[in-house]
Amino acid sequence: MEASSDKDMRKRQVPAVTRAIGILRQLGKANEPIGVNQIARELELIPSTCLHILRVLVDEGLVAFDPVSKRYSIDVGILPIARSAIQKNTFANLVERRLTELSLRFGVTGVATQLSDPEHMVVVALSQAPLPFRLQVDLGSRFPALISATGRCFAAFNALSEASLKKGFARLNWEHPPTYEAWKAECDEAREKGYAVDTGTYIGGVTILAVPFFNHAGHMTHSLVAIGISEKVDAIGVDAIAQDMLAIRDEVASLLFGPEGGEAHGKAGKAARSSK
């Protein structure tokens, strides 16, 4: 309780930074430039405060301002920061080559994600397979932590209340939305198997597999994802691909955390499953 209070106090001491980060995230997920009043309303900020922060961000090259439309958008000044973060990400560097091997072996798109905040994952490594369609997945793409196969793992292995799960689930967008009960059952199945599968609910005709990486507390912080045409994935076998992904996960974990990393990851997964 005391640690939580200290954390809250540290946040209160730098409100401008918290607001600036919120504005950058809001602009980053917007599909088009937006005005100051909309930003302020969505972030529950005073418009004059929001405008002051936006002007600083514009001066720093992180945000662009269109004087005609009076709207703001994320600017290229953010790119060197994002590129540096990805290039220096040890997890991304270790998993990148293995993603390529996974893509070539099974004809799937390989993706590695990392928790960027309590409610979102971000793509930190990517390997595109020669599929007959273009998946809108790019380095730096940010998506809800509870969506698709990765989301089932996130719900299965992290300590989230039923109220939080229902609230987060209600905000998700699917091509073929599952019921909450069906989705929750698949989360439970992911906990038992150690990996999750999304068969055509997030994207019709596409199967997505996800394998979790754990921190020392046994909570999921990263994931390894394979995306492929359902018919092709079924022909190969979901379990065959998943077992290969689990082997990659354990190999990368051993490199990240030392010789015992892979074994520790296996134990973390079992501990997380048995605690539910």
Side-chain angles (χ1 to χ4, degrees):
M1 192 67 165
E2 184 178 348
S4 177
S5 298
D6 291 343
K7 184 177 180 181
D8 292 341
M9 184 175 294
R10 287 196 296 272
K11 284 185 177 180
R12 288 196 297 270
Q13 289 173 345
V14 285
V17 175
T18 301
R19 292 164 184 165
I21 292 172
I23 290 171
L24 289 172
R25 284 178 173 160
Q26 190 69 25
L27 293 174
K29 68 181 181 181
N31 294 323
E32 58 186 18
I34 50 181
V36 61
N37 288 326
Q38 180 181 346
I39 298 170
R41 183 170 58 254
E42 292 178 352
L43 296 178
E44 298 182 350
L45 298 176
I46 298 172
S48 60
T49 299
C50 186
L51 179 60
H52 175 72
I53 296 172
L54 279 166
R55 285 173 174 169
V56 174
L57 294 174
V58 169
D59 289 342
E60 294 296 330
L62 302 179
V63 169
F65 174 66
D66 185 339
V68 177
S69 66
K70 307 294 185 183
R71 294 175 181 269
Y72 296 84
S73 59
I74 205 78
D75 205 0
V76 294
I78 203 76
L79 293 178
I81 301 173
R83 187 181 301 113
S84 177
I86 291 176
Q87 288 175 345
K88 295 177 181 178
N89 188 311
T90 303
F91 169 74
N93 291 334
L94 288 173
V95 82
E96 190 170 19
R97 173 178 61 80
R98 293 163 179 83
L99 279 180
T100 300
E101 294 172 353
L102 182 73
S103 294
L104 293 175
R105 189 154 48 244
F106 297 113
V108 297
T109 292
V111 176
T113 75
Q114 180 173 330
L115 193 65
S116 62
D117 63 65
E119 296 183 351
H120 295 87
M121 303 290 287
V122 64
V123 175
V124 295
L126 175 67
S127 176
Q128 288 280 8
L131 299 176
F133 59 90
R134 174 71 169 93
L135 287 167
Q136 189 58 42
V137 182
D138 300 296
L139 283 177
S141 295
R142 185 168 167 265
F143 57 91
L146 291 177
I147 199 69
S148 192
T150 296
R152 289 171 174 87
C153 284
F154 190 81
F157 292 103
N158 290 353
L160 302 173
S161 67
E162 189 74 11
S164 295
L165 286 176
K166 287 184 176 180
K167 182 178 179 181
F169 179 82
R171 294 197 297 259
L172 301 177
N173 293 314
W174 313 77
E175 186 168 342
H176 300 289
T179 64
Y180 176 78
E181 290 72 22
W183 176 79
K184 189 66 164 54
E186 289 170 344
C187 294
D188 294 338
E189 184 179 358
R191 188 180 306 121
E192 293 300 319
K193 290 185 174 181
Y195 66 87
V197 183
D198 180 299
T199 307
T201 57
Y202 185 44
I203 306 173
V206 173
T207 294
I208 303 173
L209 292 78
V211 168
F213 283 77
F214 305 107
N215 61 15
H216 294 294
H219 296 154
M220 175 184 154
T221 54
H222 301 71
S223 73
L224 181 66
V225 181
I227 307 169
I229 299 171
S230 294
E231 184 178 359
K232 185 171 184 178
V233 171
D234 289 342
I236 297 170
V238 167
D239 191 62
I241 300 174
Q243 293 305 317
D244 200 85
M245 293 169 67
L246 287 166
I248 293 174
R249 189 275 309 278
D250 291 346
E251 180 185 3
V252 171
S254 69
L255 294 172
L256 282 172
F257 304 112
E260 308 301 322
E263 182 181 350
H265 254 63
K267 290 179 179 179
K270 290 178 181 177
R273 292 193 290 271
S274 64
S275 68
K276 298 292 180 177

